Structures are given as structure tokens and as C-alpha cells.
Amino acid sequence: MLSKKLVFPGEFLATEEEYSSGVNTFSDSEGRVFADSVGIADFDDAKREVLVSKKSRIVKPAGIGSTVLGKVMFVKDNMIVLELVEAEKNGEELRLLHSTGSLMVSRVSNFFVKRLRDDFKIGDLVKARIIEANTYGVELSTNAPNLGVVRAYCSKCRQELGLFAGSLKCTSCGSLERRKLSSEYSLKKS
Ligand SMILES: [Zn+2]
């Protein structure tokens, strides 16, 4: 079976006992394999190899109404800034014209959000919609059920958090956390 997952440089993929290090990956002295590029990780069980396929050239640009995926770079009281990773509209992948996007506190959800630090943490992966674009960058919104955090990491030990019956929990240290979650959160445990 072949499973696919979007990964970032430095992201842990597997141990060398599980999968050998393929294209766009590297291994460390402890035999752990990491991604060295943004792309889709292919875990090839037949060859026992993991590789990262980089994104192919995409022509159409992302604009207002496009959905983006971004990594939280920093969190302020009234806005967060995302490093944009990919964009799409109606399933078609688009070219990003900006490397970052900002999300204002008023555009997070219909509910009153007091402090963004309670809903987003650095390193989280967020799905958002472009609602404004200008020469300085893009403005984003997460005001829809499928928008918000799709992957989050434990603020204590950095393990990926699992979603257990609506609650985010670290399987490694047991920490419970909250986020502005997307209905498409990646690691759901029922
Ligand atoms: Zn933890």
C-alpha cells in the first residue's frame, strides 16, 4: 500500500528500519529519516523506501477565493502570520504569488475570539481562504467549518496532536490542547 502525506523540511518520516531514505530525504546518525523539501511523502511498502516528491510547475495564480495551506510563523494578539505552502481552488492546484499571509482576529470565526494565542500555535498547519490580495500580501479568513488548524503539535513535546472525540490530545505526554480546528483535521482517532 502507498500512503501519501504533505511534509515539510526537517519533518520526521520514519526510521531506517521501517523505510530507507529515498529522493529528497536524509537520515541522521540515529537512523531516523527526515524530509529535506516541501512535498508529498511516498511510503513505498513494496520497496521499503520513503521519498518526497516535490510539487510540479503550476501555472494559474492563487487569488481571492482560493484556499491555502500555511504554517504558523508567528502569533500576535490580533493577528497571525502564515508561511504559505500551497493553494488550490475547486481541486486545482494554484501558484502562490506571496510567501506569507495574515489572518486577523476578526476573521477567525463567527464566535468572538479574545486571544489568538488560545487558538493557534507556532508550527501549526492551517487551512484558510484568501479574501484580499494586494502588493503587500494576502489577507486570510478561517471563518468556515472546514477552515482552521489541520495539523497541530504539542506545545510541550512537539508530538503531533491527535483528535479524540473532539479534543486534541498528545499521545506522548498526555497534554490536552485547544485550537480553532478545521473539520478536516489530519490525525483523527474516532
Ligand atoms: Zn506532548
Side-chain angles (χ1 to χ4, degrees):
M1 208 191 91
L2 204 67
S3 54
K4 298 191 172 184
K5 181 187 176 196
L6 178 72
V7 294
F8 299 93
E11 186 163 335
F12 173 76
L13 298 171
T15 63
E16 283 182 319
E17 284 150 30
E18 299 167 311
Y19 295 94
S20 61
S21 169
V23 180
N24 298 322
T25 72
F26 65 94
S27 53
D28 68 5
S29 59
E30 289 168 44
R32 297 179 300 178
V33 183
F34 300 89
D36 77 1
S37 307
V38 175
I40 304 295
D42 285 357
F43 294 88
D44 189 333
D45 284 341
K47 288 163 76 181
R48 310 296 306 164
E49 182 189 72
V50 58
L51 59 85
V52 174
S53 25
K54 288 196 200 177
K55 304 281 181 177
S56 53
R57 218 179 145 77
I58 303 148
V59 184
K60 282 192 199 168
I64 292 168
S66 305
T67 303
V68 296
L69 207 54
K71 205 171 185 179
V72 179
M73 291 167 72
F74 43 85
V75 183
K76 296 180 180 175
D77 287 335
N78 63 348
M79 68 177 271
I80 66 169
V81 175
L82 299 180
E83 179 187 4
L84 303 179
V85 178
E86 62 173 21
E88 62 94 18
K89 193 171 189 177
N90 303 323
E92 186 189 359
E93 202 165 345
L94 302 169
R95 186 163 51 92
L96 283 163
L97 300 179
H98 300 86
S99 56
T100 61
S102 51
L103 171 64
M104 306 298 292
V105 65
S106 58
R107 292 164 176 165
V108 169
S109 76
N110 279 329
F111 303 102
F112 178 64
V113 177
K114 202 174 167 194
R115 277 165 38 99
L116 278 175
R117 286 170 216 281
D118 296 335
D119 283 303
F120 299 93
K121 307 268 188 226
I122 289 170
D124 287 352
L125 196 61
V126 174
K127 192 171 183 179
R129 185 176 299 119
I130 297 179
I131 56 165
E132 236 177 277
N134 55 45
T135 47
Y136 303 108
V138 293
E139 302 269 343
L140 305 168
S141 164
T142 55
N143 193 353
N146 68 320
L147 303 177
V149 175
V150 293
R151 197 189 295 173
Y153 299 89
C154 178
S155 50
K156 296 191 177 114
C157 73
R158 304 307 298 161
Q159 176 83 21
E160 186 174 349
L161 296 168
L163 185 61
F164 299 84
S167 302
L168 280 180
K169 190 181 173 187
C170 176
T171 51
S172 188
C173 75
S175 175
L176 289 167
E177 304 208 2
R178 55 161 292 179
R179 297 288 194 280
K180 193 297 179 182
L181 282 178
S182 159
S183 57
E184 297 169 11
Y185 191 80
S186 58
L187 194 60
K188 286 184 191 169
K189 310 267 175 135
S190 82

Coordinates of all heavy atoms in Angstrom, one line a residue, residues 76 119 123:
K76 N 0.4 37.0 17.1 CA 0.4 38.3 17.9 C -1.0 38.3 18.5 O -1.8 37.4 18.3 CB 0.5 39.5 16.9 CG 1.9 39.5 16.3 CD 2.0 40.8 15.4 CE 3.3 40.9 14.7 NZ 3.3 42.0 13.8
D119 N -5.9 29.9 20.1 CA -6.4 29.1 19.0 C -5.4 28.7 18.0 O -5.7 27.8 17.2 CB -7.5 29.9 18.3 CG -8.8 29.9 19.0 OD1 -9.3 28.9 19.3 OD2 -9.3 31.0 19.4
G123 N 4.0 26.7 14.2 CA 4.2 25.4 13.7 C 3.0 24.7 13.2 O 3.0 23.7 12.5

